[in-house]
Amino acid sequence: CSMVETSLPFYFGWFLCPTQQEKLRNMANEFLSAVGSLEAFKEHVGDCKYELMNLQQYFQDKGVLHCTTKFCDYGKANGAKEYAEKQVVRESYGSKADLVLTALFLTPRTLGAQVSLTEAQLQLWPEDAEKEAVQSADLPRGSRAHVTLGCAEGVDPVQTGLDLLEVVLQCQQGDKGEHVQDLELGPLTYYGKGVWMVKLSEPLNTPAIFSSFYG
Ligand code: 2AM
């Protein structure tokens, strides 16, 4: 009987609690101020389309901070139903996880934090998340995992993970970028085309709840 069909969410993911969100936003602001004030940044600004030097204004907030596991689009996305029905997804629903944030990055399109998933957390990671984004390469599972912290005007948040994968791919191909300097947060690397990443010398451990968003 199809009368009691449960509807699928917009997406599943780990949602940061309010105090952690604030902490991460502060860290992102610190990152933007530090990068935005560098001579090296000003020199490279012509490499991309930053229209404003005020990066805090350039990146627009995209709501509650989270790390998407599966984008379901209310069931329209490939594999949405199968994901929602997985035993591990059902059993983990509502449980707490400690996410480890290892880097912050900005590109002309997005601002994000890289998430390093544990083996247990990878159980909730869709098999094809990386392949779906970059078909041609063999990227490690979980390498797309991130928290979107902001997007340039007119940019959809799905872009953040794609921008992150481009950096991962570039590193995999042997281009480790140019070490610019050490910020208080950690070493800063420039990858060209307006892409900057700081590897956090102290990764941020942040508690989050595995749940879903209906919108
Ligand atoms: P994000 O994970 O980079 O923030 C609603 O749009 C949420 O689902 C956002 O968190 C967004 O990006 C994510 N999202 C949107 N479209 C997606 C897609 N095609 N694949 C994966 N995640 C997507």
Side-chain angles (χ1 to χ4, degrees):
C1 168
S2 62
M3 282 182 61
V4 228
E5 253 186 40
T6 45
S7 58
L8 291 167
F10 192 32
Y11 61 88
F12 284 90
W14 289 285
F15 294 80
L16 277 63
C17 63
T19 50
Q20 294 300 318
Q21 292 191 48
E22 196 186 331
K23 197 168 166 187
L24 181 54
R25 283 193 210 280
N26 289 340
M27 212 167 175
N29 278 330
E30 191 189 327
F31 172 54
L32 293 181
S33 307
V35 174
S37 63
L38 290 178
E39 277 311 311
F41 180 76
K42 290 170 192 159
E43 281 164 25
H44 282 299
V45 118
D47 299 359
C48 54
K49 290 192 191 125
Y50 295 109
E51 284 144 26
L52 296 165
M53 287 305 289
N54 184 339
L55 291 173
Q56 271 92 351
Q57 268 175 300
Y58 184 80
F59 292 109
Q60 302 173 353
D61 199 322
K62 290 292 163 186
V64 59
L65 298 186
H66 65 276
C67 174
T68 306
T69 53
K70 176 68 186 169
F71 178 67
C72 293
D73 201 9
Y74 308 110
K76 281 180 270 169
N78 267 345
K81 189 161 181 280
E82 292 74 6
Y83 180 85
E85 285 172 355
K86 279 171 88 164
Q87 194 177 354
V88 63
V89 169
R90 287 159 48 171
E91 285 177 358
S92 309
Y93 201 82
S95 68
K96 180 179 157 258
D98 288 307
L99 296 184
V100 181
L101 277 48
T102 44
L104 299 178
F105 58 93
L106 72 88
T107 81
R109 300 160 296 278
T110 63
L111 171 67
Q114 181 177 38
V115 179
S116 294
L117 299 175
T118 62
E119 277 304 317
Q121 290 162 357
L122 279 172
Q123 303 295 307
L124 292 165
W125 195 248
E127 296 291 328
D128 60 348
E130 284 75 28
K131 266 276 175 282
E132 182 198 81
V134 190
Q135 282 160 7
S136 55
D138 209 6
L139 294 165
R141 281 197 69 217
S143 49
R144 190 178 174 179
H146 69 280
V147 175
T148 295
L149 297 165
C151 294
E153 200 181 340
V155 173
D156 194 272
V158 66
Q159 188 62 44
T160 319
L162 307 181
D163 284 356
L164 174 60
L165 285 183
E166 248 181 72
V167 176
V168 175
L169 194 60
Q170 200 170 325
C171 290
Q172 201 186 54
Q173 290 166 348
D175 179 356
K176 304 277 185 238
E178 166 201 341
H179 173 251
V180 178
Q181 73 179 76
D182 291 327
L183 303 179
E184 240 172 84
L185 291 165
L188 177 71
T189 303
Y190 184 58
Y191 289 93
K193 295 185 192 155
V195 177
W196 301 80
M197 184 182 264
V198 65
K199 192 166 161 30
L200 299 175
S201 37
E202 279 177 49
L204 183 67
N205 290 300
T206 179
I209 305 292
F210 180 69
S211 182
S212 62
F213 183 84
Y214 280 82

